[in-house]
Amino acid sequence: MNKIVEARFIAPDIKLFRIEAPKIAEKRKPGQFVVVRVDEYGERIPLTIADSDPNEGTVTIIVQGVGKTTKQLNLLEAGDYVRDIVGPLGKPSEIENYGVAVSIGGGVGTAIAYPTAKALKEAGNYVIGIIGGRSKEYVILEDEMKKICDELYPTTDDGSYGFHGFVTHKLQQLLDEGRKIDFVLAIGPIPMMKAVAEVTRPYGIKTVVSLNPIMVDATGMCGGCRVTVDNKTYFACVDGPEFDAHKVDFDNLMKRNRMYIEHEKKALEEFICRIDLMAKKLEKQNA
Amino acid sequence: MPELTNKERMQIPRHHMPEQPPEVRIRNFNEVNLGYTIELAREEAERCLRCKKPVCVEGCPVAVKIPDFIKMVAEGKFKEAAEILKEDNALPAVCGRVCPQEDQCEKVCVVGKKNEPVAIGHLERFVADWERKNLGFRMPEMKPKTGKKVAIVGGGPAGLSCAGDLIRMGHDVTVFEALHEIGGVLIYGIPEFRLPKEIVRAEVDYLRQLGVEFKTDYVIGLTETVDELLERYDAVFIGVGAGLPYFLNIPGENLLGIYSANEFLTRVNLMRAFEFPKADTPIMNLQGKDVAVFGGGNTAMDAVRTALRLGAKKAMIIYRRTEAEMPARIEEIKHAKEEGVEFIFLSAPLEFIGDDDGWVRAVKVQKMQLGEPDESGRRKPVPIEGAIEIIPIDAAVIAIGNGSNPIIHKTTPDLKVNKWGNIIVDPETMKTSKKGVFAGGDIVTGGATVILAMGAGRKAAKAIDEYLKNPDIW
Ligand SMILES: Cc1cc2nc3c(=O)[nH]c(=O)nc-3n(C[C@H](O)[C@H](O)[C@H](O)COP(=O)(O)OP(=O)(O)OC[C@H]3O[C@@H](n4cnc5c(N)ncnc54)[C@H](O)[C@@H]3O)c2cc1C
Ligand SMILES: Cc1cc2nc3c(=O)[nH]c(=O)nc-3n(C[C@H](O)[C@H](O)[C@H](O)COP(=O)(O)OP(=O)(O)OC[C@H]3O[C@@H](n4cnc5c(N)ncnc54)[C@H](O)[C@@H]3O)c2cc1C
Ligand code: SF4
Ligand code: SF4
Ligand code: FES
C-alpha cells in the first residue's frame, strides 16, 4: 500500500499524483516507469515516472483517464492509497550531449518526455520543446517545460493556443527553416510518433520514441509487451521502452494495442454504471 | 485389522484418486483431484511393503522417509505422519500434487514391478491436507535468535523452503518478490485446477507466522541491487526461477492472439482474468475458438486445459515429437485427454498466418518423422519433405520452455553465470562466485521441478547457516 500525498488535475482528464515510494524515488532515472495496481482486482498498468523527490520519498506520475483503470485511479485523492507500485522499470533513457535536441510531446506524452528532456538539458543540449494538445486546455506541463527548454513551442490542433497544427508541422517548419537538429525525442499517440519518424527519416536525424504496448508483469517474464524493431522482437518493458523510431514497426504495435478493445469497452461501461449507481445511492442517502 | 503378508499387500489394487468428471470440470477452475478419504488413504497405505531398504526413498530428490510416514497413515496416526513428512519436505501439500512421481519415488517402488506402485504422492497430499484442515498452525521448534539477517530473492519454492529453514535456525529472514503475490510459479503458473492457490497462501501464511518478512513489488536489480542487499544483510539467497519465455522465432509470431504460456497463465492465474470484469485484467475471448498450444511439458498441458476451461471449442497440443517424448506428468496427459484435448504429434510450426486486422488465423506446420537415435538415445524428429499442413486457429500459446531472466546478473557483474544465464554454484553448498551470495532452483538448473527447487533451497539454508556462524569458511 502506497499513500498518495498530492493529487490534482492539470488538464481535463489528466491528473498528477505524488505517491510515497522512497526506494523508487531514490533509484529512478529519466525514461523509467512504474507499474501501479489500484486495488486487489486491479490490472497492472505502466506509468512513466515524471519526476521524483528522493528527500521526501515520492514519485510523480501523470495519468490520462482513457479506460477503466486510469479513470478509477483519477478518482483517488491525496490521503488515498494505491495497492501496489513497483519500479523503477525499463531502461533509462540514453542521455548524451547531442547538440540540438528536440523534445516532442503529444498530449500526456509530454509528461513522459519531460524527465528525459530535463536530463538532456542537464547534459548540455540546446533543447527545443514542442508540446501539443487537441486544444489549449490539453497542453500540459508548459511551465515545467519552459524552465528546461531553450525554446518552447506549444501547438494545438484547433489553433486555440500557440502554433496552429500538429507537432509534426512545427517540427517540419523548423527543418524547413534550415535549423540544425541533432536529436529528436518524440512521445505521444502512436500515429504521432510514426509521423515524427517519417519527418526526420529523410534528414537522418537520430530519433527516439517511447513505446506503449500492453504490459503485464513489466519485468520480462511474459513477453506480452513484445514489439518489432528492425524486424526483430524485443520486450519493451526490459529492452525499452525507448527505441529507434526509424526501425519501429508502428503498425504492428497499433494492432497489438487493440487486442482487448472489446474488453476495455465493457470494463469501462460497467465501471461507469457502478459509479452512477453509487452516486444515486449517495444522493438518496443525503436527500 | 490383522497384519497383512507382503503377498496380500501386493494384490491390493491401487486406489484411484476421486476426481471431478471431465464434462463437469472443464466448466470450472476447481481442483480436478478431490483427494483421498480417510478410508481410501488407510487402505492405500496398506499396500506399502515397508521395505527394509526402501528404494522409493532413493527415488525422492529430498529423501522423504516414505515407508515411515505411510505406516503412520495405515495406523491412522496422521499427525505423526505429517511430522515425518515435514522433516524432509517443507511443502508436502504442493509436492503431493505436482511432483512427477512416476519418474521419482513411484517409479522405483517395488510394488510397481508386479502391480501399480503405491500412490505415494496421493498419500503425501492426503496427510498434508489433513494436517492443514485439522491441526491449524503449530509452532515448530525454533532455535534462539542469532541476530543474523538473510535476504531471499524470489518467493518461489526455492526461496520459500530456504526461508522456512533459516527462520527456524534463528536467523532473521526477508523475502523480496518482484510480483505482487508470493509463490512464484505456484501462484502465477500452475493453475487453480491442479494446485489451489489457497494451499500456497496457507504455506506463505505459515512462514509469516514463524516470523519471515515478505516484501512484494520489489525487483532485486532494479528497486535495489544484490550489492546493496549485502550492505544490509549478512547473506543473500537468489531463487528467481527461470522466468524468461522462449518464443518459436518464426514469422507471424507477433500477431494478435499469440501468447507465451507465461503471459497466458499469468493473466488467468495471478491476475484472475477468468473472473473478468470483476478482475480488471482481460484474456482474449476463447468461446467457440480453436486454440493451439505448442509444447509437450506440464506448462503446455496447463495452458491447453486452461484454454478449454475458458470455452475453447477445440484445444490442441501441437508437438514436434511423439507422446513417448512428452515431458509432462502422466496424470496431466491423461487428464488432458479425458477433457477432450486433441494431440497433434510430429508437427513443427513454420509460420503463423494472420488476417488484415493482425489476428492469427492459421499455423503452417511441417510434418516430421522419427529418425535415427542421437547420442542421447532419443530418436530425433526429421522433416518429411513436402509434408506441410495448414491448421486453422484463432489463438496460440507458446509453451516451449523458459530461459533465465537477465535482470539479476546484468546488475551484479561479479556473479558468474553460464552461457544460458544460469547462475553457477558449488553443487554441495549452492555458493555462487560472490561472497555471501547463494543460489538455487530454476535459476541454477534451468526449468526443472518444484521438489528440486525446494531441495536446493534447503541445501542452501544449511550452508548459509554454517557460513553465518563462520564467514571465514567461504
Ligand atoms: C512504458 C509505458 C509508460 C506509460 N506511461 C504513461 C503515463 O505516464 N501516463 C499515462 O497516462 N499513460 C501512460 N501509459 C499508458 C497507460 O499504461 C495506459 O493508458 C493504461 O494502461 C490504460 O489502462 P486503462 O484500464 O485505463 O484503459 P483500457 O481501456 O484498459 O485501455 C486503453 C488503452 O491503453 C492500453 N493499455 C491497456 N492495458 C494496458 C496495460 N496493462 N499496459 C499498457 N497499456 C495498456 C491499450 O492500448 C488500450 O487500448 C504508459 C504505457 C507504457 C507501456
Ligand atoms: C506452468 C508450469 C507448470 C509446472 N508444473 C510443474 C509440475 O507439475 N511439477 C513440478 O514439479 N514442476 C512444475 N513446474 C516447474 C516448477 O514450477 C519450477 O521448477 C519451480 O517453481 C521452480 O522454483 P523456483 O523457486 O526456482 O522459481 P519460481 O517458482 O519461478 O519462483 C521465482 C520467483 O522469483 C521472482 N523473481 C524473479 N526475478 C526477481 C527479482 N529480480 N527480484 C525479486 N523477485 C524475483 C519471481 O517473480 C518468482 O516469484 C511447472 C512450471 C510451470 C511454468
Ligand atoms: S516429495 Fe515428491 S518425489 Fe518425494 S516422496 Fe513426495 S511425491 Fe515423491
Ligand atoms: S518401495 Fe514401495 S513398497 Fe517399498 S517402502 Fe517404498 S513405497 Fe513402500
Ligand atoms: S510486460 Fe511481461 S515481458 Fe514485458
Side-chain angles (χ1 to χ4, degrees), chain B residues 225-438:
Chain B
T225 61
V226 172
D227 285 302
E228 286 164 319
L229 283 180
L230 282 170
E231 291 168 15
R232 302 198 283 137
Y233 291 87
D234 300 295
V236 173
F237 173 77
I238 300 176
V240 291
L244 181 85
Y246 287 142
F247 282 89
L248 294 160
N249 293 318
I250 60 173
E253 204 160 18
N254 294 346
L255 288 166
L256 282 71
I258 303 180
Y259 291 96
S260 76
N262 276 6
E263 181 185 359
F264 188 72
L265 293 168
T266 298
R267 283 181 177 271
V268 178
N269 298 326
L270 179 73
M271 305 311 296
R272 303 195 255 189
F274 64 94
E275 291 182 73
F276 184 87
K278 185 183 174 197
D280 288 340
T281 306
I283 185 99
M284 80 177 268
N285 184 355
L286 293 182
Q287 289 290 339
K289 301 276 170 66
D290 293 352
V291 183
V293 175
F294 297 88
N298 287 321
T299 309
M301 297 306 133
D302 284 344
V304 79
R305 296 172 68 202
T306 297
L308 271 181
R309 282 160 176 75
L310 291 171
K313 179 170 92 220
K314 194 157 145 191
M316 297 167 264
I317 286 282
I318 301 183
Y319 185 51
R320 239 155 42 95
R321 301 171 184 261
T322 70
E323 178 160 0
E325 285 88 10
M326 279 209 296
R329 295 177 73 227
I330 286 176
E331 189 181 31
E332 310 317 326
I333 299 171
K334 170 176 158 274
H335 281 159
K337 282 187 177 162
E338 288 168 3
E339 289 168 8
V341 169
E342 257 180 63
F343 288 81
I344 300 174
F345 294 115
L346 291 167
S347 301
L350 293 177
E351 182 183 352
F352 290 107
I353 301 160
D355 64 17
D356 289 346
D357 293 330
W359 284 89
V360 65
R361 283 288 162 249
V363 58
K364 196 195 268 182
V365 301
Q366 165 75 59
K367 303 302 279 180
M368 315 287 278
Q369 61 190 7
L370 287 184
E372 294 301 310
D374 59 13
E375 313 86 68
S376 68
R378 286 219 295 190
R379 292 179 64 192
K380 240 182 113 146
V382 289
I384 306 173
E385 206 170 320
I388 288 182
E389 237 176 69
I390 307 247
I391 304 173
I393 57 171
D394 304 296
V397 180
I398 318 291
I400 55 165
N402 288 322
S404 59
N405 189 313
I407 289 180
I408 293 271
H409 72 252
K410 270 194 184 158
T411 51
T412 320
D414 50 346
L415 190 67
K416 284 219 176 81
V417 297
N418 66 16
K419 65 176 168 182
W420 298 284
N422 298 122
I423 298 178
I424 297 170
V425 299
D426 166 358
E428 292 309 310
T429 59
M430 313 311 279
K431 273 194 323 200
T432 66
S433 58
K434 193 171 167 71
K435 185 167 169 154
V437 179
F438 300 74

Side-chain angles (χ1 to χ4, degrees), chain B residues 98 154 156-158 177-178 184-185 194 218 220 239-241 299 302 441-442 448-450 453:
Chain B
V98 306
E177 166 57 50
V185 172
R194 213 148 67 77
Y218 215 105
I220 298 304
V240 291
T299 309
D302 284 344
D442 282 2
T449 60
V450 173

Side-chain angles (χ1 to χ4, degrees), chain B residues 65-324:
Chain B
K65 298 178 200 71
I66 296 167
D68 300 7
F69 101 78
I70 294 185
K71 181 162 182 282
M72 291 301 146
V73 177
E75 292 172 10
K77 297 180 183 156
F78 305 134
K79 178 165 169 259
E80 288 75 3
E83 271 153 16
I84 296 171
L85 260 177
K86 279 268 164 93
E87 281 171 27
D88 304 293
N89 184 344
L91 301 169
V94 175
C95 294
R97 286 174 167 82
V98 306
C99 258
Q101 287 97 5
E102 69 267 17
D103 290 328
Q104 300 179 352
C105 52
E106 295 181 18
K107 181 182 185 176
V108 287
C109 168
V110 293
V111 177
K113 297 225 162 71
K114 292 245 167 72
N115 193 338
E116 283 183 88
V118 176
I120 303 170
H122 293 348
L123 288 171
E124 185 168 315
R125 167 198 160 132
F126 167 81
V127 171
D129 286 358
W130 183 90
E131 184 198 20
R132 193 175 64 254
K133 284 188 199 119
N134 294 284
L135 299 181
F137 175 76
R138 286 167 306 146
M139 200 66 171
E141 196 189 321
M142 304 277 283
K143 296 248 176 70
K145 283 277 161 207
T146 60
K148 301 281 185 194
K149 291 163 66 187
V150 185
I152 308 271
V153 185
L160 292 179
S161 60
C162 190
D165 279 6
L166 287 167
I167 195 94
R168 267 171 290 182
M169 291 165 175
H171 310 300
D172 285 335
V173 183
T174 310
V175 177
F176 295 91
E177 166 57 50
L179 292 172
H180 56 262
E181 193 161 352
I182 303 287
V185 172
L186 308 183
I187 280 285
Y188 77 71
I190 304 181
E192 178 79 17
F193 58 78
R194 213 148 67 77
L195 177 65
K197 302 304 149 228
E198 173 212 342
I199 290 170
V200 184
R201 293 196 185 107
E203 293 297 343
V204 174
D205 274 345
Y206 171 75
L207 294 178
R208 202 174 269 126
Q209 292 185 65
L210 299 189
V212 175
E213 209 188 316
F214 290 98
K215 287 212 188 292
T216 48
D217 297 326
Y218 215 105
V219 190
I220 298 304
L222 297 174
T223 315
E224 195 169 359
T225 61
V226 172
D227 285 302
E228 286 164 319
L229 283 180
L230 282 170
E231 291 168 15
R232 302 198 283 137
Y233 291 87
D234 300 295
V236 173
F237 173 77
I238 300 176
V240 291
L244 181 85
Y246 287 142
F247 282 89
L248 294 160
N249 293 318
I250 60 173
E253 204 160 18
N254 294 346
L255 288 166
L256 282 71
I258 303 180
Y259 291 96
S260 76
N262 276 6
E263 181 185 359
F264 188 72
L265 293 168
T266 298
R267 283 181 177 271
V268 178
N269 298 326
L270 179 73
M271 305 311 296
R272 303 195 255 189
F274 64 94
E275 291 182 73
F276 184 87
K278 185 183 174 197
D280 288 340
T281 306
I283 185 99
M284 80 177 268
N285 184 355
L286 293 182
Q287 289 290 339
K289 301 276 170 66
D290 293 352
V291 183
V293 175
F294 297 88
N298 287 321
T299 309
M301 297 306 133
D302 284 344
V304 79
R305 296 172 68 202
T306 297
L308 271 181
R309 282 160 176 75
L310 291 171
K313 179 170 92 220
K314 194 157 145 191
M316 297 167 264
I317 286 282
I318 301 183
Y319 185 51
R320 239 155 42 95
R321 301 171 184 261
T322 70
E323 178 160 0

Side-chain angles (χ1 to χ4, degrees), chain A residues 23-24 27 32 37 39-44 68-69 72 83-89 214-217 219-224 226-228 233 235 238 252 255-256 258-260 263 266-267 270, chain B residues 178-180 188 217-219 222-225 228 243-245 247 253-260 262-263 266-267 271-272 275-285 356-359 405 407:
Chain A
K23 277 281 168 204
I24 305 174
K27 272 288 155 113
Q32 290 188 297
R37 213 164 63 106
D39 62 20
E40 203 197 331
Y41 281 92
E43 185 168 9
R44 297 172 64 96
K68 150 90 194 341
T69 305
Q72 186 189 2
R83 174 95 187 198
D84 298 277
I85 176 164
V86 52
L89 304 167
I214 297 176
M215 297 188 175
V216 185
D217 60 296
T219 61
M221 182 271 268
C222 78
R226 57 198 194 279
V227 291
T228 313
T233 294
F235 291 1
V238 284
N252 182 244
K255 284 178 182 160
R256 283 184 66 83
R258 294 176 56 83
M259 177 139 171
Y260 297 104
H263 292 82
K266 186 165 166 208
E270 295 216 0
Chain B
L179 292 172
H180 56 262
Y188 77 71
D217 297 326
Y218 215 105
V219 190
L222 297 174
T223 315
E224 195 169 359
T225 61
E228 286 164 319
L244 181 85
F247 282 89
E253 204 160 18
N254 294 346
L255 288 166
L256 282 71
I258 303 180
Y259 291 96
S260 76
N262 276 6
E263 181 185 359
T266 298
R267 283 181 177 271
M271 305 311 296
R272 303 195 255 189
E275 291 182 73
F276 184 87
K278 185 183 174 197
D280 288 340
T281 306
I283 185 99
M284 80 177 268
N285 184 355
D356 289 346
D357 293 330
W359 284 89
N405 189 313
I407 289 180

